Amino acid sequence: MYSVPEPEVAERMRAAHGLAATKLAVTAVAPAEAWGWRGRTLSRRVQTSSGPGWLRLVHAPAAKAGGKLWEGPQAAEAAMPRTLPRPRLKDHLTWTAGPDGYLAELYEVVGEPTITADEPILRTAPKLDDGWWATLRRSLDTIARVPTDRVSIRQAYLDRAMPQYLGEAVDTKVPAWSTAHGDLHWADLTGPTLTILDWEGWGVAPAGYDAAMLHAFSLLVPEVSALVRLHLNHILDTPAGRFSELVVITELLQTISRGDSLDLEVPLRQRAAVLLNHG
């Protein structure tokens, strides 16, 4: 969870969340709020006619209230195998109010906490057993095989951004593509039992993209980044996997240039140097 946004945003989102609860005939059962980045989302535990649930509200400007991110969870519910450890989407609705667009999603409750509570970056080592890592490995392999026409990363973006952040000599051609969750970081994973959350941005990406992202967000805890490489070596220790690491590093360096995740810059640049000098 991120911090509570500025009062005007918080008030608007709380009112919209209450409206969504009424429309979906559910009742908030606890005052605890789970906020997304800059108040873009607000989630709370609710009670439904059949038991506990989790109501997530997403905001976007009305003109952008649609498209890939808006439809991602619904598309995942239809396309992803039921064996994947992810929360089931029970219901949803959308509406606009003046300049604001909203998407409300009613999920089943996930009993486990996320590995990190308020940011994607890992700062302390979690206690995760071999079974957790084996489930993650199987899950990423399963996701990679799901056919889709959704796109998470485009070649045109890489052609533009990779030379800007990694140097003009970098090869930007994607060696292989596969389906990815698209935002696999520590705030989207639960433990000690694995559930993969937030399926907004899934789609086709460079092969190995999810493993590369999790590795990048682990760099401040070397023993965990080493575990990522150990358990996902069949993905990362390949030309496609190393390329995907450079893709993720590019994206994060761009984020850093905008003022976010500043403490990742040095380890990201160090990792990029290793990858670019790989024989």
Side-chain angles (χ1 to χ4, degrees), residues 24-179:
L24 291 172
V26 301
T27 305
V29 297
E33 299 173 331
W35 287 97
W37 183 71
R38 296 184 180 177
R40 178 179 174 270
T41 66
L42 170 60
S43 303
R44 292 182 67 185
R45 186 182 287 260
V46 296
Q47 183 67 29
T48 76
S49 60
S50 59
W54 183 256
L55 182 57
R56 180 176 186 260
L57 179 75
V58 186
H59 169 267
K64 298 182 179 180
K68 184 189 76 170
L69 295 180
W70 217 248
E71 299 162 0
Q74 300 160 52
E77 186 67 25
M80 291 294 161
R82 297 185 70 86
T83 54
L84 271 179
R86 61 180 184 84
R88 311 302 306 189
L89 178 63
K90 301 297 186 181
D91 202 353
H92 70 278
L93 62 88
T94 63
W95 76 96
T96 58
D100 301 304
Y102 297 98
L103 165 65
E105 299 166 331
L106 180 62
Y107 290 96
E108 65 183 11
V109 169
V110 175
E112 305 281 347
T114 53
I115 305 298
T116 57
D118 58 359
E119 63 174 344
I121 301 171
L122 191 70
R123 299 186 184 278
T124 59
K127 295 181 179 179
L128 302 172
D129 60 22
D130 287 345
W132 188 95
W133 288 103
T135 302
L136 177 66
R137 176 178 174 133
R138 287 194 302 272
S139 297
L140 297 189
D141 290 347
T142 298
I143 293 167
R145 294 191 295 268
V146 173
T148 183
D149 59 1
R150 290 172 56 84
V151 177
S152 191
I153 301 292
R154 296 185 183 276
Q155 180 68 62
Y157 165 76
L158 303 180
D159 292 340
R160 238 182 8 256
M162 291 182 76
Q164 181 178 353
Y165 293 97
L166 300 179
E168 292 295 332
V170 67
D171 183 359
T172 65
K173 183 174 175 57
V174 177
W177 298 87
S178 66
T179 301

Side-chain angles (χ1 to χ4, degrees), residues 2 116 118-122 183 185-188 214 217-218 261:
Y2 291 82
T116 57
D118 58 359
E119 63 174 344
I121 301 171
L122 191 70
D183 197 23
H185 55 67
W186 294 101
D188 279 347
L214 193 65
F217 279 120
S218 308
S261 307

